[in-house]
Amino acid sequence: MLSSDLDPRRIPVHIACVMDGNGRWAEQRGLPRTEGHTAGEQSLFDVLEGANDLGVGWFTVYAFSTENWRRPADEVQFLLRFNEQILINRRDEMHERNMRIRFIGRRDRRVPRRLVRLIDDAEEMTRGNSGLTFTVAFNYGGRAELVDAVQRLVDSGVRRVTEKAIARNLYDPEMPDPDLVIRTSGEYRISNFLLWEIAYSELVFSETLWPDFRREHLYSAIKEFQDRDRRFGGVGES
Ligand code: IPE
Ligand code: IPE
Ligand code: MG
């Protein structure tokens, strides 16, 4: 699948991705699960570059869910350090590519101070960039996000709850709803990702494990998206 097989007028504005299958990829090779996460870094930056070249405006990835704390302590520790390391290694190159780095998720006490500081610095450094917005969902849960939004509304003393009011109180009110959500590794579920925002997203599931996923797989997913008829509850074009 080549990017030239895609309709350049119908590139999704926002693609969100559940990067899944790292553990199984490693297990298939007799390696520790963490090796799968390590291998996934190359997938992420290949796909991100592919998306950037296509002119995708927003790319959001699920890096760590509010449920992932249930994993063995050493894997959790690894993932915390791994995300720090990625920020340190890659923020300059993303900045040079004019990308904006953002985070969504709960900044609770379980997230190490050092990581929070790195997140803040990366956001600050890239704030003025006008290229692709790369959003990392870290300690993110769709239900937690809705709870936090409603709590903020309650705290502000509003009398009337509207969809707009909830949307304005999500973690990143500027983030447009995803047009396309991709999940890798042959799992057909959402796992608490962007529950509010995906109301009308097109869902594409790929059998490929995340460490094997490359920009060509992204193009295939976008092709599938382009072959869909989005109706938003109406009667559509065809
Ligand atoms: C996704 O891969 C990465 C994270 C959840 C951090 P997994 O670690 O879930 O891999 P599988 O699903 O066990 O293969
Ligand atoms: C979703 O994958 C979370 C991330 C990719 C970060 P999981 O592997 O944690 O989801 P389940 O447990 O299979 O639903
Ligand atoms: Mg998984």
Side-chain angles (χ1 to χ4, degrees):
M1 180 94 227
L2 299 169
S3 60
S4 53
D5 296 326
L6 298 172
D7 178 351
R9 294 159 306 178
R10 287 191 301 131
I11 299 297
V13 171
H14 181 188
I15 300 175
C17 185
V18 182
M19 309 179 289
D20 197 14
N22 297 353
R24 276 163 285 164
W25 183 91
E27 278 154 20
Q28 284 173 5
R29 286 162 179 75
L31 299 167
R33 291 177 51 83
T34 51
E35 289 294 321
H37 302 315
T38 303
E41 180 177 346
Q42 218 187 325
S43 311
L44 174 58
F45 288 93
D46 191 65
V47 166
L48 201 54
E49 213 168 277
N52 196 36
D53 292 349
L54 286 177
V56 171
W58 295 70
F59 198 89
T60 300
V61 296
Y62 208 2
F64 192 90
S65 75
T66 47
E67 288 71 38
N68 286 147
W69 299 105
R70 293 182 188 150
R71 295 189 176 201
D74 55 349
E75 184 173 346
V76 169
Q77 270 314 309
F78 177 90
L79 287 168
L80 295 173
R81 291 305 301 250
F82 181 60
N83 278 279
E84 285 177 23
Q85 215 44 58
I86 285 187
L87 266 175
I88 292 167
N89 296 342
R90 302 281 191 161
R91 63 186 169 194
D92 293 343
E93 116 192 25
M94 288 191 273
H95 186 44
E96 275 158 28
R97 286 180 196 274
N98 195 26
M99 291 182 189
R100 226 166 23 155
I101 305 172
R102 290 193 175 180
F103 277 79
I104 52 174
R106 246 191 204 162
R107 297 187 180 196
D108 62 31
R109 278 167 305 154
R110 291 176 297 185
V111 183
R113 272 258 185 87
R114 203 177 37 220
L115 180 53
V116 172
R117 209 169 306 126
L118 281 166
I119 288 171
D120 288 341
D121 290 349
E123 286 185 336
E124 190 51 42
M125 172 180 183
T126 60
R127 189 179 304 279
N129 292 345
S130 55
L132 180 147
T133 300
F134 172 54
T135 304
V136 182
F138 191 89
N139 193 21
Y140 175 89
R143 288 187 174 179
E145 182 177 35
L146 284 170
V147 167
D148 291 349
V150 171
Q151 183 66 56
R152 283 176 57 172
L153 287 174
V154 169
D155 293 347
S156 72
V158 296
R159 307 278 303 168
R160 240 174 70 76
V161 176
T162 61
E163 290 192 8
K164 273 213 174 75
I166 289 179
R168 268 200 304 268
N169 284 281
L170 297 175
Y171 292 136
D172 184 354
E174 282 179 23
M175 185 176 86
D177 289 345
D179 302 292
L180 167 62
V181 175
I182 301 168
R183 183 169 187 151
T184 62
S185 85
E187 300 291 1
Y188 299 86
R189 55 178 172 268
I190 291 301
S191 302
N192 205 11
F193 192 38
L194 302 175
L195 297 182
W196 176 275
E197 297 88 337
I198 63 171
Y200 270 101
S201 304
E202 293 298 327
L203 311 179
V204 170
F205 297 95
S206 164
E207 296 300 315
T208 305
L209 302 176
W210 178 251
D212 291 327
F213 202 86
R214 291 293 180 273
R215 69 181 78 188
E216 293 71 30
H217 301 93
L218 172 75
Y219 301 153
S220 302
I222 296 176
K223 178 84 182 97
E224 202 171 323
F225 166 85
Q226 292 188 336
D227 291 341
R228 304 261 179 100
D229 181 16
R230 297 184 85 186
R231 291 193 285 276
F232 298 99
V235 288
E237 298 162 13
S238 44

